Amino acid sequence: MAHPRERDCGPFDDDGSLRMAEQARDVARGFLSAAAPEGGNALDAVLLVVSELFTNAMRHAGGVTGFRLEAGPGTVAVTVHDARPVPPRPLPLDATRPGGFGWHLVQELSVDVRVDVSAAGKTVTAVVPCPTGVAPRG
């Protein structure tokens, strides 16, 4: 069975496409149904990372300018671009205050998190363990 190796879902126009984390999760579910049909509980981790990165870009960086999913051997990379060239910063964990847990969750659920900053904004990529149909290269 062939699986999509990647899906580039951006950049975004002002036509309303993928303006909400729920829409991004729906795109990710479709991607995962082909790329990781046997993903089990790992699919939930990927969807949570999609949600958190997308929501953080919307809430703290003025919106998402690009969104990409890529299946690797046993992983799914979630990449979100935004126009704010300031890296995310974790807030101190405080159970008495709502919010502030997303960046910690992304780091906990991922085997690698990269933030690339440029004058045009930033790109955050989180690589999440997930059984995929992609064979290792080599």
Side-chain angles (χ1 to χ4, degrees):
M1 172 183 244
H3 301 290
R5 185 161 171 75
E6 59 189 62
R7 177 159 184 197
D8 195 343
C9 307
F12 298 97
D13 297 323
D14 289 334
D15 65 358
S17 56
L18 292 184
R19 290 182 177 261
M20 297 172 44
E22 180 180 359
Q23 293 170 309
R25 284 190 307 273
D26 288 344
V27 169
R29 277 187 197 95
F31 174 82
L32 292 167
S33 71
E38 305 298 323
N41 291 337
L43 300 179
D44 292 334
V46 173
L47 294 173
L48 183 55
V49 169
V50 165
S51 244
E52 291 299 335
L53 291 183
F54 202 92
T55 299
N56 285 350
M58 296 300 290
R59 200 173 275 165
H60 304 294
V64 173
T65 58
F67 173 55
R68 180 182 177 95
L69 299 165
E70 183 174 1
T75 64
V76 172
V78 178
T79 301
V80 174
H81 309 276
D82 65 53
R84 186 167 185 238
V86 177
R89 60 182 171 80
L91 296 175
L93 292 174
D94 182 353
T96 64
R97 177 180 39 91
F101 298 97
W103 187 239
H104 296 284
L105 281 171
V106 168
Q107 292 178 322
E108 185 67 30
L109 293 171
S110 304
V111 293
D112 185 35
V113 179
R114 295 181 303 278
V115 179
D116 297 308
V117 177
S118 70
K122 71 177 160 298
T123 301
V124 179
T125 301
V127 180
V128 183
C130 183
T132 64
V134 178
R137 293 181 182 168

